[in-house]
Amino acid sequence: MTAIDLNADLGEGFGRWRLTDDEQLLSVVTSANVACGFHAGDAATMRRVCELAAERGVTIGAQVSYRDLAGFGRRAMDVPAAELTAEVAYQVGALEVFARAAGARVAYVKPHGALYNRVVHDPEQACAVIEGVRLADASLPVLGLPGSRLLELAARAGLPAVTEAFADRAYTDEGTLVPRDREGAVVTDADTVVERSLSLARSGAVVTHSGARIQMRARSLCLHGDTPGAVGLARRVRERLVAAGVRVEAFA
């Protein structure tokens, strides 16, 4: 039976401002990418999401980012490798405190936003992220784009490299994500997202922005929590997968 993990970016608030419906999404997903305070999130939010995830048996992952609260971690930045390594380890360590307090642990690491896209091609930044993960916990899996330098270097460093795909993001013919400032970069039609999810889970195939069909083998499927109707859409995706005989379970 085919197995797929459903992950979502959670804890993306700050102070009184909240972006994602963490409680409802945690009733659907199997893995939670928790913002660690650099692109979103704060100590109280991190603690709350870890507690909710632990209660529901959802795996906790650290979503690490460039230090960019104002830009939600989506602005291109040039951070020295040694500094990025330290900041990745710092973010993982901060989340681990709250995960352990909730009776769980940080089980994987996933970059966010501009950092996620940068480490697809940039070996120096990818290496810095890997070194940060190793500094925090040398056994942690790394979640990223298939074929990325990040996953290549993670595997070389002895870290489990886990592939993921996005049902609600457009892909280029090369298998990278279409930049968010381009029209059609985010797939908004709910029926399309549901069917793309099933295709990715069962055959590892996705239709690109140009209409080509490419292979995108992934162990985890990301459902963005900051889009309108995210909870209802996530439920539809999970129900469709289960109805088609796909086993929905965490990878870590």
Side-chain angles (χ1 to χ4, degrees):
M1 182 183 291
T2 301
I4 195 78
D5 169 62
L6 295 181
N7 76 75
D9 302 344
L10 300 177
E12 291 185 326
F14 192 80
R16 296 178 62 185
W17 176 70
R18 292 188 182 182
L19 179 63
T20 51
D21 189 342
D22 299 327
E23 186 164 3
Q24 292 300 314
L25 283 167
L26 283 167
S27 68
V28 182
V29 300
T30 47
S31 295
N33 316 315
V34 184
C36 298
F38 272 41
H39 76 279
D42 55 31
T45 302
M46 292 161 66
R47 181 180 183 184
R48 176 177 56 82
V49 175
C50 284
E51 289 173 347
L52 289 171
E55 288 174 5
R56 289 162 172 74
V58 176
T59 298
I60 297 170
Q63 187 163 46
V64 298
S65 170
Y66 287 128
R67 188 189 293 269
D68 181 28
L69 277 175
F72 197 62
R74 288 179 176 162
R75 297 185 293 190
M77 303 182 77
D78 289 314
V79 179
E83 183 177 336
L84 182 57
T85 291
E87 291 188 340
V88 167
Y90 178 93
Q91 292 175 77
V92 176
L95 188 65
E96 177 68 9
V97 169
F98 299 119
R100 287 193 179 188
R105 64 186 180 91
V106 171
Y108 66 94
V109 178
K110 173 184 172 178
H112 166 81
L115 181 58
Y116 186 97
N117 292 318
R118 180 75 171 268
V119 297
V120 170
H121 300 296
D122 189 322
E124 182 183 40
Q125 293 281 277
C127 186
V129 171
I130 296 304
E131 287 305 306
V133 175
R134 293 180 64 197
L135 184 60
D137 183 340
S139 69
L140 288 176
V142 176
L143 185 61
L145 199 71
S148 65
R149 297 305 300 272
L150 177 73
L151 294 192
E152 175 191 341
L153 292 168
R156 286 188 191 178
L159 301 178
V162 183
T163 55
E164 77 165 338
F166 296 80
D168 57 359
R169 287 295 311 277
Y171 282 91
T172 68
D173 291 352
E174 292 71 39
T176 58
L177 297 176
V178 172
R180 280 182 173 268
D181 58 0
R182 285 184 55 187
E183 184 177 354
V186 179
V187 181
T188 56
D189 180 74
D191 291 338
T192 300
V193 172
V194 172
E195 292 310 311
R196 279 164 60 96
S197 299
L198 184 60
S199 177
L200 285 163
R202 297 184 70 179
S203 64
V206 67
V207 175
T208 70
H209 195 256
S210 72
R213 185 179 175 86
I214 62 172
Q215 287 301 115
M216 185 61 57
R217 295 286 180 183
R219 177 62 181 85
S220 186
L221 186 65
C222 181
L223 303 172
H224 280 98
D226 60 347
T227 55
V231 175
L233 180 56
R235 288 201 177 102
R236 282 190 59 189
V237 167
R238 179 159 185 162
E239 289 168 0
R240 183 75 173 90
L241 292 172
V242 172
V246 177
R247 188 171 68 251
V248 179
E249 63 180 20
F251 65 84

